[in-house]
Every structure is written in C-alpha cells, then in structure tokens.
Amino acid sequence: MEQSKARLRATAIGFSAVLMWATLALFTALSGKVPPFQLLAMCFLVATVIACGFWLVRGQNPLAYMRQPPLVWLLGVGGLFGYHFFYFLALRNAPAVEAGLIAYLWPLLIVVFSALLPGERLRWFHIAGAVLGLGGAALLVTRGETLELDPRYSFGYLAACVCALTWSSYSVLSRRFGSVPTEAVGGFCAVTAVLGAVCHLAFEQTVWPDGTLEWAAVLLLGLGPVGGAFFTWDYGVKRGDIQALGASSYAAPLLSTLLLILVGLAPFTFVVALACLLIVGGAVLASKDMIFRPKPSPLPLVEDPS
C-alpha cells in the first residue's frame, strides 16, 4: 500500500513537469527575439544557479552529486542538450508544423520503450491511450488541416525523429539509473548551458531581452519549462508510473493552447475541443491501472477465543 502511494506521488511530481512545459509557448513568446541557443543557455544557467542555491541551503556538497560515472553524464547531458539541439535543427530545416509533430512522438515512444524495463508490462490500453493522445496533439499542431511531408525537408524530418528518440530514450534509460539522485540534474543543466552558449556563439547573433517583461519571461523559463521541469521529470520517470507519464505528456500542447486562449493569443475552436477529449481520454485510458486500481479488501476480523 505504501509502495503504491509512493509511486502515485512520484507520478504526480513527474506530471508537474508536463504542467510546466505547458507554459513554454507563452513564456517563449514573451521573451522577445532572443535566439534559440542563447535562450537555451540563459535558461539552463538559471536552472543551474537555482540548483546550487538549493544545495547550499541544505548544506550539501555539489561535488558529491557531480561524481557520476561517464555513462550517466553522457545520458544526462545527451538527453537535455541533445533534445534541444535536434529540435532547433529540425525547425531550421523543415516546416514548424510537421517538424513539431514528428518531434512530439516522444510520449508514444516512452510508452513503447517502457516495455523493455524490468518489472514493467506494456498493455493494450497503454498503447491505445498514447495513440489517442498523439491524435489529439496532431489536431492541435495541424489545426485540423492536412499534414504534408515534403521530401525537400527530409533532413529536418530526420532531425525531428532523432529529437523524439533522444528524449524518449533519455526518459526510459533514466529509470535504469534510478540510483542516481535527482540533484545530479543540476550538473547536467550546467553543461547544457555551456554547450548552448558555444552553439550560440557559433551559429547566432546575440540579442538580449528588451525590458522587464522579457527578462522576467527568461527567468520564468529557467524556473519552469526549460529548467525546473527536468528535475521533477527525472524524479517521476525514476519512481513513478512511466507509462502513464508518457501518455499524459500529450497534455502539454493542449494546456499550452488553452493557456494561449486564456490570455487572448489564440481562439477556442471545435478542433481544440476535440483534441481536448482525445488527449484527456487517452491519458485516463493509459493510466487505467493506476486510477482504477481496486482497493485492497480489509482483513477479516478474528474472534477472540476467550
């Protein structure tokens, strides 16, 4: 019983990352014209500073978390930086709609790849829930219009596929390294910030945020969707229901769209309503075991023989 509660709690913590990712589009729009790699470096720098502050407040030695095997560093940095690198590469070499949708295959891939983990079983409702979520995400991204894959953008589509494979592999393999503390993600964020700065200097021209609102948006990105979210996601995929987390991740584009509607930056349409039904229904279906798990029957009373 206690184990089930701990698993449910870890899943809820992991889902908080999905809630933070839902604010990505809004905060990115408010951050102005800061180039992608520069924004990545700034946000992960914020996340690193917060992690260091957390360690110091708790009297912990950051070096204790940095002493990880090379394979752990490769996984952590490869996941955080690799995902963003291939995502930006895809957007530069393919239309945003198609590239974004291909990149967003990672929740479905997490559900599928989770079958390779010890102690996990892949059931029909996990797959069905993830496919429903993918259908809802497709509606949101394409706005209900036809999706066309042009061979001219094959390189961009390939980069988007690698992007999806990178994040899904990182998420599933993180569970195989469950003994690595979540605090180590602070080190991965630091290296990602450095690599982002290197790519920015190599490929982009520096554009600083203009005004308090844009600086605040960058800070909020580092606190949430491009920083803090990776700590809670790490905790969730290592200790929670990874299949439910994978399928429920399709809630991010839905919540992001609803947030844009709320602030008046997007209209509410029938397509959004249908996508909402598909994504929520898919998440509930994929989480069937966790949500509708029967309660343990009470122990029978034993009469006192005296």
Side-chain angles (χ1 to χ4, degrees):
M1 187 65 177
E2 289 300 322
Q3 188 176 6
S4 296
K5 286 183 178 179
R7 184 177 173 89
L8 183 61
R9 177 176 175 272
T11 304
I13 291 173
F15 186 71
S16 71
V18 178
L19 297 178
M20 286 186 266
W21 288 330
T23 64
L24 178 61
L26 177 61
F27 292 154
T28 301
L30 295 176
S31 66
K33 298 180 179 180
V34 180
F37 281 115
Q38 180 187 344
L39 186 61
L40 181 71
M42 294 171 70
C43 293
F44 275 102
L45 177 61
V46 171
T48 303
V49 170
I50 292 171
C52 290
F54 181 76
W55 294 332
L56 292 174
V57 167
R58 296 182 61 178
Q60 297 171 323
N61 181 7
L63 294 178
Y65 298 116
M66 300 303 101
R67 297 190 187 100
Q68 302 296 336
L71 194 57
V72 172
W73 279 99
L74 181 62
L75 175 65
V77 176
L80 297 187
F81 178 74
Y83 168 79
H84 291 91
F85 178 83
F86 286 110
Y87 183 71
F88 295 154
L89 192 63
L91 292 183
R92 284 174 180 265
N93 293 277
V97 171
E98 287 83 354
L101 186 57
I102 293 172
Y104 225 85
L105 285 170
W106 64 260
L108 177 60
L109 293 177
I110 286 178
V111 174
V112 174
F113 291 166
S114 66
L116 302 174
L117 292 170
E120 296 290 347
R121 289 183 60 197
L122 187 61
R123 305 285 297 278
W124 68 267
F125 49 83
H126 294 134
I127 295 290
V131 170
L132 282 176
L134 177 61
L139 280 177
L140 286 177
V141 172
T142 63
R143 298 178 183 177
E145 298 176 0
T146 305
L147 183 68
E148 294 183 4
L149 297 180
D150 191 328
R152 291 179 298 168
Y153 304 115
S154 297
F155 181 74
Y157 300 150
L158 178 61
C161 288
V162 176
C163 171
L165 283 170
T166 298
W167 189 250
S168 56
S169 299
Y170 163 76
S171 300
V172 173
L173 288 173
S174 290
R175 197 177 183 94
R176 298 299 297 264
F177 293 93
S179 60
V180 177
T182 293
E183 289 85 349
V185 174
F188 307 153
C189 289
V191 177
T192 299
V194 172
L195 293 175
V198 170
C199 288
H200 164 63
L201 294 174
F203 305 123
E204 299 172 339
Q205 193 163 5
T206 302
V207 178
W208 294 108
D210 182 18
T212 304
L213 179 61
E214 292 186 5
W215 277 105
V218 173
L219 177 62
L220 290 172
L221 281 168
L223 288 171
V226 192
F230 299 113
F231 291 87
T232 59
W233 181 254
D234 179 85
Y235 189 90
V237 296
K238 284 179 177 175
R239 298 170 176 82
D241 188 328
I242 191 170
Q243 292 159 335
L245 279 174
S248 63
S249 295
Y250 282 117
L254 171 64
L255 295 174
S256 177
T257 302
L258 294 178
L259 186 59
L260 292 173
I261 291 171
L262 186 63
V263 298
L265 296 179
F268 184 79
T269 64
F270 171 76
V271 170
V272 173
L274 181 57
C276 181
L277 289 175
L278 288 172
I279 291 173
V280 173
V284 171
L285 181 60
S287 308
K288 184 174 77 70
D289 269 358
M290 186 175 63
I291 298 174
F292 303 108
R293 181 183 289 113
K295 295 181 179 179
S297 55
L299 294 174
L301 295 175
V302 179
E303 295 183 3
D304 187 349
S306 62

